Amino acid sequence: MTATVLGIADDRALGSALRLIVTRPHSLAAAKAAVDDVTAAMDAAASRFREHSELSRLNARPDRVTIVSPLLAQAIGAALRGAELTHVGHAIRLAGYDTDFASVPQQGEPLQLVAQPVPGWRAIRFSPATRTVLVPRGVELDLGATAKALAADLAAAAAWRAAGGGVLVSLGGDISVAGEAPDGGWLIQTGEDSAVPLADGEETISITSGGVATSGTTVRRWSRGGVVLHHIIDPASGLPAKSCWRTATVAAASCVDANIASTAAIVMGENAAAWLEMNHLAARLVHRAGTVERTAGWPQPEKSKLIPTIL
């Protein structure tokens, strides 16, 4: 069997490493241009780190009904859907994650962290039909992880329309594929840090559609007053989750679904495996002690094919 020749482009977007892979190398430039258009549009619409982004302007208009763009409406819809499971909100700003992660100081003064539930997301009034949003005073919309996952899904679809064949887009390890997969499927290596180079011997899976996302507590970390913090918030306390899992990787019908489920798994802790099984979501959970638990058909290392399902 002849190996598929792939075209690959590496870049940065949305504060993360971007990798684009296409099965038609001659169309790589067209695919990359399509991906760049999507990520630039998402950055302008949904970044909370840009003062003049559409999201920042929305957060600066509390208690006022605002009509938002179709892209921001789509991102808000995905984030609120995720919030129903994870409730992750503006508490990450209170924990010190108040700038692009590359700029977050790794050490800092103690924070006055008080355990309290994450407030407010249920008070947001959003109509997908009219694209109207009302953010109550004291509540802040942060689309973070779901916006990046949505960008991966939209970018893969746009690149496929531009280039045909098969397309894989990875944004900081949030992976989405579109079109016809190469022979043997898209091979994806699991790991805790998407920035680490691929290595022989690491567990690898194969998918032909959908998306894969990983959430964890070991990579995006910083310290305040000697207390180690991370970006996944437990809704019961409003503080970084004290999960039994250090990493959760999920395959689903879209990168957004995979991202929602992987974040929820970290927050759910010991209840995550049963919830993933109930929802037929293939996942790989890595315990703090290093043991691995697999759910809903996630293959053992010697087997590699996964069929993503719907969250």
Side-chain angles (χ1 to χ4, degrees):
M1 183 181 296
T2 303
T4 303
V5 178
L6 302 174
I8 302 175
D10 290 314
D11 204 345
R12 291 195 63 81
L14 303 180
S16 302
L18 164 68
R19 168 159 283 198
L20 166 66
I21 307 176
V22 298
T23 59
R24 296 181 179 177
H26 63 278
S27 299
L28 179 60
K32 180 62 165 56
V35 169
D36 289 346
D37 286 345
V38 169
T39 56
M42 187 65 77
D43 196 37
S47 173
R48 73 179 177 93
F49 305 125
R50 294 191 179 280
E51 180 182 357
H52 300 296
S53 72
E54 188 179 3
L55 178 63
S56 294
R57 297 196 304 272
L58 175 64
N59 280 327
R61 291 168 51 90
D63 297 328
R64 298 175 66 180
V65 175
T66 301
I67 299 175
V68 299
S69 68
L71 180 57
L72 184 56
Q74 191 173 2
I76 290 172
L80 292 179
R81 179 164 166 255
E84 292 179 3
L85 297 174
T86 64
H87 306 265
V88 176
H90 82 286
I92 62 172
R93 181 187 294 275
L94 302 181
Y97 188 9
D98 55 359
T99 183
D100 184 276
F101 188 75
S103 301
V104 174
Q106 294 304 296
Q107 302 289 329
E109 296 299 318
L111 297 178
Q112 297 301 314
L113 294 175
V114 179
Q116 57 183 346
V118 176
W121 68 268
R122 292 185 184 277
I124 293 170
R125 297 291 176 259
F126 171 58
S127 169
T130 60
R131 304 200 314 274
T132 54
V133 186
L134 185 149
V135 180
R137 191 170 302 277
V139 176
E140 178 179 302
L141 264 176
D142 176 6
L143 308 182
T146 51
K148 182 160 67 71
L150 176 61
D153 283 331
L154 296 177
W160 173 67
R161 289 193 298 269
V167 171
L168 179 148
V169 171
S170 173
L171 269 171
D174 280 353
I175 295 169
S176 183
V177 302
E180 184 178 351
D183 291 341
W186 295 104
L187 299 180
I188 298 170
Q189 190 172 102
T190 60
E192 293 183 284
D193 188 351
S194 63
V196 173
L198 300 180
D200 293 338
E202 292 292 333
E203 189 169 328
T204 301
I205 61 170
S206 171
I207 66 170
T208 58
S209 63
V212 176
T214 297
S215 296
T217 63
T218 62
V219 177
R220 292 196 167 191
R221 298 167 71 91
W222 57 96
S223 177
R224 293 295 179 268
V227 177
V228 177
L229 306 170
H230 59 79
H231 68 299
I232 299 178
I233 302 300
D234 183 345
S237 66
L239 304 179
K242 295 181 179 179
S243 180
C244 62
W245 311 113
R246 71 188 195 198
T247 304
T249 302
V250 178
S254 69
C255 189
V256 167
D257 282 355
N259 182 280
I260 290 171
S262 64
T263 302
I266 295 292
V267 174
M268 288 179 182
E270 293 180 355
N271 297 321
W275 179 81
L276 291 161
E277 288 282 0
M278 181 180 67
N279 286 283
H280 309 291
L281 286 161
R284 179 180 185 267
L285 306 173
V286 182
H287 196 275
R288 286 199 307 263
T291 57
V292 177
E293 185 167 348
R294 299 171 176 84
T295 71
W298 185 283
Q300 295 297 321
E302 66 274 11
K303 299 177 181 180
S304 64
K305 192 162 186 179
L306 279 171
I307 301 175
T309 187
I310 296 175
L311 178 60

